[in-house]
Amino acid sequence: MPIPDVPEAGLFKALKYTVNFERARWQRRGAIKSLRGQMREDTGMLDGILGALGKQARALEIDSPPLETENRAIAEAEARRKTADHECSEISNRQAEENSKFADSENERQAKVADATSSLESAQNELGALESQRKSLREDGKELESRKKGYLKNAESRDTDSSKQENSSNRLELRQAAQSLRVEAAEIDKQRQDIDRRIAALEEPFSLVSARVGALKSDLDSAKRTLTNLREGHRHRLAELEAELGKRTRELAQSEAEIQRREVTLGTLVNLNRIDRPEFQELYGRIDGLRGGIGARSNEIDKLSAEREAFDKASRIRGAIVLAGLGVLFIALLAILLSLS
């Protein structure tokens, strides 16, 4: 809507002027925002076309004096990009090689841990079997010793009873029973001694197996530590390679960004000097069209900005006062109505 004319004297005319001007001003604010957005899009498109122009000039190997410095800078950036790209490839290859070596080494270390675990379990089972035999023999020995004591106690009891017997036949019978019990005790003692020999015979293999279990535990701990150290070293090397790859990737991105930026500058120089080549004519036309559009939008923004500031200060103040008064009156009436209800 157009900017309203400055009103003549009158409060309600001032109010109408203020309302209409603020509407017009708000519309121009939106229009300016839209035009600036279009200018940003056109500027981006212009940079793209200038970059394409610079890239084409590089492809055609145009190296006139105005372009010499920029061409040299682009060539240096391209060399840095090539170096960074090569180093990125090298680091990626080193990562792949490291992962391959680690996989082989890890499999080997895991196999050693598995072998050590299996050997330890076998030795522990063997030690457990020997310990079970010793325990069983000791229990048998205790049972025989208890039986032997029982026989000897009973034999002594028979001897005591025989001395109390008046009948010689009874005394003889009791003494013979006591002797029989002592014979049984002697047989049991032989069995117990045999068990003691068997227990003693187990001591040496038990000690050997026990020592082997201790050695195998140390071997297993060592194998586990070796595997852990291998994994830690692999993680550390991968972290170093990742950091180096990140650095080279940033260098590659910086070189690429510099090349694109300098190609835009080179295209700008080509456009300013208007090098006469048929390959450039279409790009020149698109550049002129975009610059014309940008210039037109810039002029329109300047015009709209000037209109937004072209207001009558006194009329706006009077209109604002009237608007504020109407607002107060409306609130008062609303309060009265609410109180009456």
Side-chain angles (χ1 to χ4, degrees):
M1 62 183 293
I3 296 294
D5 296 330
V6 178
E8 298 175 359
L11 293 178
F12 286 101
K13 289 182 178 180
L15 174 61
K16 182 179 178 182
Y17 170 79
T18 299
V19 172
N20 289 336
F21 183 82
E22 290 302 325
R23 288 177 60 198
R25 191 179 190 193
W26 182 262
Q27 289 176 350
R28 279 156 180 74
R29 178 180 178 275
I32 289 172
K33 183 177 180 181
S34 176
L35 287 169
R36 283 175 176 165
Q38 294 172 17
M39 285 179 64
R40 283 193 295 271
E41 292 178 3
D42 289 347
T43 301
M45 292 175 62
L46 181 60
D47 287 343
I49 295 171
L50 290 172
L53 182 60
K55 187 175 292 186
Q56 195 166 24
R58 289 283 296 169
L60 295 172
E61 298 182 353
I62 296 175
D63 197 13
S64 61
L67 312 180
E68 182 178 354
T69 301
E70 208 61 35
N71 272 322
R72 184 169 59 251
I74 292 175
E76 292 173 355
E78 287 175 341
R80 289 195 298 274
R81 179 180 64 181
K82 183 178 180 180
T83 300
D85 184 57
H86 176 72
E87 289 178 347
C88 286
S89 298
E90 286 290 326
I91 295 171
S92 296
N93 291 335
R94 286 163 59 190
Q95 285 178 324
E97 183 179 357
E98 169 64 24
N99 286 327
S100 177
K101 288 181 178 179
F102 169 72
D104 294 339
S105 299
E106 185 183 38
N107 290 335
E108 180 182 348
R109 297 294 188 279
Q110 286 177 333
K112 288 185 177 180
V113 170
D115 290 342
T117 302
S118 177
S119 298
L120 177 60
E121 289 176 353
S122 177
Q124 287 175 331
N125 291 335
E126 185 177 352
L127 184 65
L130 290 172
E131 178 62 28
S132 178
Q133 290 182 42
R134 291 204 309 176
K135 183 178 179 181
S136 178
L137 288 172
R138 287 193 183 104
E139 290 175 353
D140 290 344
K142 289 179 181 179
E143 195 271 333
L144 290 173
E145 185 67 24
S146 177
R147 287 171 57 192
K148 173 188 169 184
K149 288 180 179 179
Y151 285 143
L152 293 176
K153 185 177 180 181
N154 289 333
E156 290 176 359
S157 177
R158 298 291 191 283
D159 286 337
T160 302
D161 291 342
S162 66
S163 63
K164 296 178 182 180
Q165 295 292 326
E166 294 180 359
N167 189 310
S168 60
S169 176
N170 291 338
R171 285 198 302 272
L172 179 61
E173 184 179 350
L174 288 171
R175 287 174 182 173
Q176 287 178 346
Q179 183 61 30
S180 177
L181 289 171
R182 287 188 178 92
V183 170
E184 291 289 340
E187 289 296 326
I188 290 175
D189 189 54
K190 290 180 182 179
Q191 295 178 22
R192 189 187 60 78
Q193 290 175 1
D194 180 63
I195 287 176
D196 288 342
R197 285 193 296 271
R198 290 168 63 187
I199 291 174
L202 289 174
E203 288 301 323
E204 183 177 357
F206 183 85
S207 299
L208 292 175
V209 175
S210 180
R212 184 150 58 89
V213 167
L216 288 172
K217 284 183 178 179
S218 298
D219 291 344
L220 178 58
D221 291 340
S222 177
K224 287 181 176 179
R225 281 195 302 271
T226 302
L227 179 59
T228 300
N229 293 337
L230 175 69
R231 288 170 174 167
E232 288 294 331
H234 175 63
R235 281 194 290 268
H236 181 68
R237 286 189 293 274
L238 280 186
E240 290 180 341
L241 290 172
E242 191 65 31
E244 188 175 354
L245 180 61
K247 180 180 178 182
R248 300 308 175 197
T249 301
R250 288 191 296 273
E251 292 176 357
L252 179 62
Q254 290 169 358
S255 300
E256 187 64 37
E258 182 182 356
I259 290 170
Q260 292 178 359
R261 187 174 63 252
R262 290 190 178 278
E263 284 177 345
V264 173
T265 304
L266 182 65
T268 303
L269 293 173
V270 171
N271 181 63
L272 289 174
N273 291 276
R274 287 290 163 134
I275 298 173
D276 190 14
R277 293 291 294 262
E279 297 90 343
F280 299 157
Q281 296 308 311
E282 180 189 356
L283 294 176
Y284 287 155
R286 293 171 63 188
I287 290 169
D288 292 341
L290 284 171
R291 283 188 168 174
I294 292 171
R297 290 187 177 91
S298 180
N299 292 334
E300 184 68 17
I301 288 173
D302 292 339
K303 175 189 172 185
L304 294 173
S305 297
E307 290 178 351
R308 289 183 73 229
E309 302 302 323
F311 57 86
D312 182 66
K313 185 176 181 180
S315 297
R316 284 188 70 199
I317 292 174
R318 287 196 300 271
I321 292 173
V322 173
L323 189 62
L326 290 174
V328 171
L329 180 60
F330 174 77
I331 293 172
L333 290 173
L334 184 62
I336 292 170
L337 292 173
L338 290 174
S339 64
L340 292 175
S341 61

